[in-house]
Amino acid sequence: MNASLTKVLSGIIGIAAGLLVAFLVFGNTGSSDMATTNKQNKSNAEKVYVPPGEHDEYYMMASGGHSGQLFVYGLPSMRLIRQVPVFSPDPATGYGFDDASKEMLNGYKWGDFHHPAISETEGEYDGRALFASDVGNNRAAYVDLETFHTTDILEIPNVSGPHCAAFVTPNTEYLFLPTRFSVPIGGEYAELDEYSEKYKGVMTAVKPDVKNKKMDIAFQVMLPPWAYDLSDAGKKLSNGWSFLSTYNTEEATTTLEINASQNDRDYIVMFNWKQIAKEVKDGNFTEVNGEKMFDPAKYPGSVYLVPVPKSPHGVDVTPDGEHFIASGKLSPTTSMYSFEKALEAIEKEDFQGEAKGLPILNYDSVIDKEVEVGLGPLHTQFDNNGNAYTTLFIDSQVVKWNLESGKVIDKAEVAYSPGHLAAVEGDTANPGGKWLVSLNKIAKDQYLSVGPSHPESMDLVDITGEKMELVANAPSQPEPHYAQIINADKIKTTEVMDKDEKRKNAVWSKDEAHIERDGDEVHVYGVAFRSRFVFDAQSDKPDVVKVKEGDTVHFHMTNIDRDEDITHGFGINGYNENFEVQPGETKTLTVKADKSGTFPIYCTNFCSALHQEMTGYLLVEPK
Ligand code: CUK
Ligand code: CUA
């Protein structure tokens, strides 16, 4: 070997050694290393690849946080399939523009959708409906999973921030909505000095009506002002009970960051909802703003407290219903409690005291095990093999541990700082295993940069093996807090809306389209089909609506195309209005014609080769 070659080689070795040292010192610096590993592993790509024309095996229904929408993903491809507007207006579909959805939104400009809850039958998702909670404006929503339309929104009085849920009972008897914030009952004015006495955290029981795709408030439960977090309903053995976590038993009113973290223990609230429903039926409530308010301190025997380490973020019930698990986010442990032992403690009145008139069960009598999982544990899901998966916000990991042994089996790095996670049907009585998605709060370097703010990030983890395997990730808009993953074959969608002859304002053929005038009220009974609008069949200009300035025009539009996926839009140029009618659907848009002039109407949803020709006019004659 000549001298110069030796020099070059030793130079290369030197660089390699340098890199090795750098790796040892700085460790795995995140995405780029992770990406290389995954690129080399072709089988991971194959696992998530869904060829064109084929469908994903699962739907993931993710809350859209402060977008107020529902994000529907396909899994394992992680493709975003649809954004369903729920709590906020959506110009693309005209949700919040047409009369019915406008009335449903009732003027609200936004919502903060934290937790979706798919309806259940015998503790398993049944794919009929999805419920949503709005932390921002105190509402609950009903999303029909046949159409993926929001069909009802309920404004809930006496509460502030129905955060920790929606969660449903095993047969969708109730949807529970406990609150994150505490305010005086009825929202009346009260000084913060009166917090402990006057402020309350009210939990609402909503009664879903699956047949009519609506909801109603059944009753409310007045709880101490302790800030409630994600909660879960009992199942099987614990059916009839529900579990809430609290993180502000300190009753801090300012700088919660410091002041709500003082106590070593907060509480899990266990409540017997069957018992409460019975009490309410027996008249044991007071009426507050038209709602039945139940006070558990007045009627003992239905609500108990269980101590839990430091500021828990959630509580989850195991698939068999025998244990409930809470993670104190400021404690490195996850606590697993025995429901049976809790019942025994209640029976024997094995209490370690009381708070605000509610008995506190003796911790040592109820705890089953404390599992050392890592830093910042938040939420837990389950697989079909007796394992639990908990997110670690601070460690940026998902930890897999065994329910029986309490042993940690594996940890997967996620990028970064996961909040919730969702496993396939992972919060039901019968989890599916296979996949888990970590809903990460901070994406940092995971995607092409789009400026100072980055998207949220979701990591797809294969949980079929002993070890977890991170196989793919995808960005998300703000901001999935929680998601549920359901087998696709449980969802049965409608392709064309039923032709309901009784439907008010619908006309079913272009020959029936007509315009009725009543003073300054104009009703247009129109149809949309490929590729025309017909507003008035009798007119020689059937696609023109002529009104006078100051008139109120009601466009009742029916899409008479009865083919899958032929949706028509209805935009009025210059009038700031747009909505869509899906196949077989009728919608009404009311426009106050207070601006005179000539305004083209056009189909906004590309529907045929002659879509561009699908136009008409709104003529507003000056006064
Ligand atoms: S919360 Cu946001 S990550 Cu509303 Cu359940 Cu835990
Ligand atoms: Cu109808 Cu485009």
Side-chain angles (χ1 to χ4, degrees), residues 528-533 561 566-569 602-608 610-612 614:
F529 58 98
R530 279 164 294 177
S531 291
R532 277 173 77 186
F533 293 113
D561 272 320
I566 304 300
T567 294
H568 298 289
Y602 71 108
C603 176
T604 43
N605 202 307
F606 215 111
C607 53
S608 77
L610 295 172
H611 154 82
Q612 216 69 356
M614 191 167 169

Side-chain angles (χ1 to χ4, degrees), residues 17-44:
L19 282 176
L20 181 64
V21 169
F23 182 75
L24 291 177
V25 173
F26 299 109
N28 184 324
T29 47
S31 65
S32 51
D33 298 303
M34 235 151 25
T36 339
T37 334
N38 287 343
K39 235 179 253 158
Q40 287 158 354
N41 188 345
K42 280 225 184 75
S43 66
N44 279 347

Side-chain angles (χ1 to χ4, degrees), residues 105-120:
L105 280 182
N106 197 17
Y108 286 104
K109 291 187 290 188
W110 78 294
D112 191 3
F113 175 1
H114 273 234
H115 299 103
I118 297 172
S119 57
E120 293 182 10

Side-chain angles (χ1 to χ4, degrees), residues 432-503:
K434 210 158 174 178
W435 296 110
L436 171 156
V437 174
S438 171
L439 301 163
N440 307 323
K441 291 302 177 192
I442 296 167
K444 282 191 193 160
D445 52 8
Q446 294 293 292
Y447 309 102
L448 290 174
S449 174
V450 286
S453 175
H454 297 215
E456 270 62 51
S457 181
M458 306 181 298
D459 281 320
L460 180 72
V461 181
D462 178 345
I463 55 168
T464 50
E466 173 87 352
K467 295 240 165 231
M468 291 178 280
E469 204 172 354
L470 175 64
V471 300
N473 74 359
S476 171
Q477 297 315 301
E479 169 178 332
H481 284 262
Y482 186 42
Q484 289 181 323
I485 302 169
I486 176 173
N487 262 295
D489 55 21
K490 286 190 181 174
I491 305 255
K492 306 264 182 272
T493 55
T494 304
E495 298 304 345
V496 177
M497 304 281 204
D498 281 345
K499 186 171 165 181
D500 176 359
E501 299 291 346
K502 292 192 297 290
R503 195 190 298 158

